[in-house]
Amino acid sequence: MDTVSLTGKDLAAAINADSKARAAAFAVAPRLALIVANADPASAWYVNSLRKAAERLGIACDTVDLGADASVETLRAELAARSADPAVDAIMLQTPLPAGVTLDDVSSSIAAPKDVDGVSPLSLGLLATGLPGFVPATAEAVIELLKHHEIPLVGKHVAVVGRSNIVGKPLAQLLLAADATVTVCHSRTPDLAAVTATAEIVVAAAGRAGLITGKHIAESATVIDVGTNESADGGIVGDVDADSVRGRAAALSPVPGGVGPVTTALLMRHVVDAAGNR
Ligand SMILES: NC(=O)c1ccc[n+]([C@@H]2O[C@H](COP(=O)([O-])OP(=O)(O)OC[C@H]3O[C@@H](n4cnc5c(N)ncnc54)[C@H](OP(=O)(O)O)[C@@H]3O)[C@@H](O)[C@H]2O)c1
């Protein structure tokens, strides 16, 4: 069977065109604060790409580098100060965080109306109860990519591989809200292939290159690859072994060029939405 490539570039371009027009309508440009507390090259690359994406859309972007040894107290104080600053519309906290600091230690200091990546306990609670709030952009990107490619979710069995607070769990909530039947798998799932091979849609969000192979996929299933793993040649690869899945799956999202560009576009859309809360 021919496997359709579920690219995200056209969808991202459409979202960005809309965000750019909406950003231009503000007397004062929407402003995003990117809080960094690491010396990780992959994070620096990502921060740079977010800055460029913001610039292209007319969104002002401040990077606040607190250093890789910032304490929980320093991070909380900075997030609280930006939350209280009327000049800042949106806040994103980059990972990794300093050794010994978890997202849970600090994320509640981001005010929900500015929490554009939906990481705070309040944002995640709003999502779980179906109330309006910012949703983690990667999880939302999976739903938007499926919708864009007209892949129905109502009544479908979706297996999500990964249960993190920023991808797997919020994605499961969004899928339930879209009336899918959801199974969430994780590292303690004894026979992953036995579960995923019963699903009509498989979403891989484990951060393990090549974890999902042809044996994990039912014939004609749709596969969304959220994973971004560094490859030996310095590029990025997903969690799906594309060569073994292609020809078996009906559709597969590429890495790069699938979920990634849609995630960035949705983050920027959230920044413009946050400016609308002024
Ligand atoms: N494309 C994008 O825009 C984007 C954005 C964000 C993240 N990502 C990528 O998405 C991936 C997941 O990110 P994350 O932050 O959710 O990662 P994470 O916090 O490390 O969580 C990984 C999840 O995968 C599960 N897992 C790990 N190995 C497994 C295995 N062998 N079998 C089944 N489940 C396994 C873990 O299970 P346990 O809970 O049992 O440990 C955990 O729930 C990463 O590659 C990340 O880079 C991409």
Side-chain angles (χ1 to χ4, degrees):
M1 118 167 3
D2 282 344
T3 302
V4 174
S5 181
L6 303 177
T7 62
K9 288 183 178 166
D10 292 351
L11 172 58
I15 295 168
N16 285 335
D18 180 62
S19 297
K20 188 173 181 176
R22 287 173 57 217
F26 287 92
V28 177
R31 180 169 290 274
L32 167 67
L34 287 170
I35 315 297
V36 182
N38 64 61
D40 181 61
S43 167
W45 182 89
Y46 184 55
V47 166
N48 196 33
S49 75
L50 287 176
R51 290 183 62 89
K52 285 190 193 152
E55 257 167 45
R56 280 195 294 270
L57 302 180
I59 293 170
C61 184
D62 306 319
T63 306
V64 183
D65 191 345
L66 299 174
D69 55 0
S71 65
V72 168
E73 291 70 28
T74 302
L75 275 155
R76 281 188 188 151
E78 185 63 37
L79 294 169
R82 302 281 161 171
S83 292
D85 182 347
V88 173
D89 295 303
I91 299 168
M92 271 189 72
L93 175 61
Q94 293 307 301
T95 53
L97 292 168
V101 180
T102 68
L103 195 55
D104 292 343
D105 291 330
V106 296
S107 60
S108 58
S109 298
I110 306 174
K114 300 187 181 186
D115 180 20
V116 284
D117 206 12
V119 296
S120 77
L122 180 52
S123 300
L124 291 167
L126 291 171
L127 170 61
T129 45
L131 292 168
F134 285 119
V135 170
T138 307
E140 190 182 8
V142 172
I143 303 288
E144 292 298 320
L145 193 63
L146 288 165
K147 272 194 202 156
H148 176 72
H149 289 280
E150 296 179 351
I151 294 165
L153 283 167
V154 178
K156 301 294 178 191
H157 178 204
V158 184
V160 177
V161 184
R163 58 173 166 181
S164 73
N165 282 342
I166 58 157
V167 188
K169 278 187 206 162
L171 176 58
Q173 299 287 359
L174 290 172
L175 289 165
L176 286 173
D179 294 324
T181 301
V182 185
T183 306
V184 181
C185 309
H186 45 79
S187 68
R188 306 294 293 271
T189 301
D191 186 350
L192 184 63
V195 180
T196 55
T198 65
E200 291 150 297
I201 299 172
V202 176
V203 183
R208 300 280 182 275
L211 175 68
I212 303 298
T213 64
K215 75 168 186 181
H216 293 82
I217 301 300
E219 187 91 42
S220 306
T222 293
V223 184
I224 302 291
D225 194 351
V226 177
T228 52
N229 310 288
E230 206 171 317
S231 62
D233 62 5
I236 63 160
V237 292
D239 287 356
V240 176
D241 177 359
D243 287 342
S244 93
V245 164
R246 243 184 247 116
R248 183 166 178 77
L252 167 65
S253 72
V255 177
V259 173
V262 182
T263 300
T264 304
L266 289 172
L267 271 173
M268 294 302 148
R269 174 154 92 185
H270 291 179
V271 176
V272 179
D273 290 344
N277 293 334
R278 278 174 192 166

PDB file of all heavy atoms in Angstrom, residues 13 27 37 68 79 150 154 220 244:
ATOM      1  N   ALA A  13       1.900  26.952   7.642  1.00  0.00           N
ATOM      2  CA  ALA A  13       1.925  28.207   6.874  1.00  0.00           C
ATOM      3  C   ALA A  13       0.583  28.928   6.984  1.00  0.00           C
ATOM      4  O   ALA A  13       0.537  30.161   7.136  1.00  0.00           O
ATOM      5  CB  ALA A  13       2.268  27.919   5.412  1.00  0.00           C
ATOM      6  N   ALA A  27      -1.979  47.561  18.554  1.00  0.00           N
ATOM      7  CA  ALA A  27      -1.228  48.820  18.583  1.00  0.00           C
ATOM      8  C   ALA A  27       0.189  48.555  19.105  1.00  0.00           C
ATOM      9  O   ALA A  27       1.155  49.139  18.613  1.00  0.00           O
ATOM     10  CB  ALA A  27      -1.950  49.830  19.477  1.00  0.00           C
ATOM     11  N   ALA A  37      17.169  28.318  31.320  1.00  0.00           N
ATOM     12  CA  ALA A  37      18.071  28.066  32.455  1.00  0.00           C
ATOM     13  C   ALA A  37      18.851  26.785  32.167  1.00  0.00           C
ATOM     14  O   ALA A  37      18.754  25.796  32.908  1.00  0.00           O
ATOM     15  CB  ALA A  37      17.280  27.968  33.760  1.00  0.00           C
ATOM     16  N   ALA A  68      22.561  28.015  33.883  1.00  0.00           N
ATOM     17  CA  ALA A  68      22.277  26.588  34.084  1.00  0.00           C
ATOM     18  C   ALA A  68      22.270  26.193  35.562  1.00  0.00           C
ATOM     19  O   ALA A  68      21.909  25.061  35.893  1.00  0.00           O
ATOM     20  CB  ALA A  68      23.312  25.751  33.326  1.00  0.00           C
ATOM     21  N   LEU A  79       9.512  33.864  36.849  1.00  0.00           N
ATOM     22  CA  LEU A  79       8.228  33.531  36.216  1.00  0.00           C
ATOM     23  C   LEU A  79       7.098  34.374  36.821  1.00  0.00           C
ATOM     24  O   LEU A  79       6.213  34.849  36.095  1.00  0.00           O
ATOM     25  CB  LEU A  79       7.930  32.035  36.377  1.00  0.00           C
ATOM     26  CG  LEU A  79       8.896  31.099  35.636  1.00  0.00           C
ATOM     27  CD1 LEU A  79       8.684  29.646  36.065  1.00  0.00           C
ATOM     28  CD2 LEU A  79       8.729  31.230  34.122  1.00  0.00           C
ATOM     29  N   GLU A 150      -7.827  15.292   7.297  1.00  0.00           N
ATOM     30  CA  GLU A 150      -9.177  14.702   7.267  1.00  0.00           C
ATOM     31  C   GLU A 150      -9.196  13.246   7.742  1.00  0.00           C
ATOM     32  O   GLU A 150      -9.832  12.380   7.139  1.00  0.00           O
ATOM     33  CB  GLU A 150      -9.776  14.844   5.858  1.00  0.00           C
ATOM     34  CG  GLU A 150      -9.961  16.310   5.491  1.00  0.00           C
ATOM     35  CD  GLU A 150     -10.521  16.524   4.098  1.00  0.00           C
ATOM     36  OE1 GLU A 150     -10.617  15.551   3.335  1.00  0.00           O
ATOM     37  OE2 GLU A 150     -10.851  17.668   3.783  1.00  0.00           O
ATOM     38  N   VAL A 154     -13.605  10.349  15.759  1.00  0.00           N
ATOM     39  CA  VAL A 154     -14.796   9.898  16.506  1.00  0.00           C
ATOM     40  C   VAL A 154     -14.884   8.369  16.465  1.00  0.00           C
ATOM     41  O   VAL A 154     -14.888   7.756  15.386  1.00  0.00           O
ATOM     42  CB  VAL A 154     -16.087  10.511  15.916  1.00  0.00           C
ATOM     43  CG1 VAL A 154     -17.315   9.988  16.672  1.00  0.00           C
ATOM     44  CG2 VAL A 154     -16.039  12.026  15.963  1.00  0.00           C
ATOM     45  N   SER A 220      -2.951  -0.588   7.389  1.00  0.00           N
ATOM     46  CA  SER A 220      -3.800   0.591   7.078  1.00  0.00           C
ATOM     47  C   SER A 220      -3.975   1.567   8.233  1.00  0.00           C
ATOM     48  O   SER A 220      -4.833   2.452   8.160  1.00  0.00           O
ATOM     49  CB  SER A 220      -5.204   0.204   6.602  1.00  0.00           C
ATOM     50  OG  SER A 220      -5.122  -0.671   5.540  1.00  0.00           O
ATOM     51  N   SER A 244      10.283   0.629   7.955  1.00  0.00           N
ATOM     52  CA  SER A 244       9.548  -0.611   8.228  1.00  0.00           C
ATOM     53  C   SER A 244       8.040  -0.372   8.309  1.00  0.00           C
ATOM     54  O   SER A 244       7.250  -1.293   8.156  1.00  0.00           O
ATOM     55  CB  SER A 244      10.096  -1.310   9.479  1.00  0.00           C
ATOM     56  OG  SER A 244       9.415  -0.948  10.627  1.00  0.00           O
TER      57      SER A 244
END
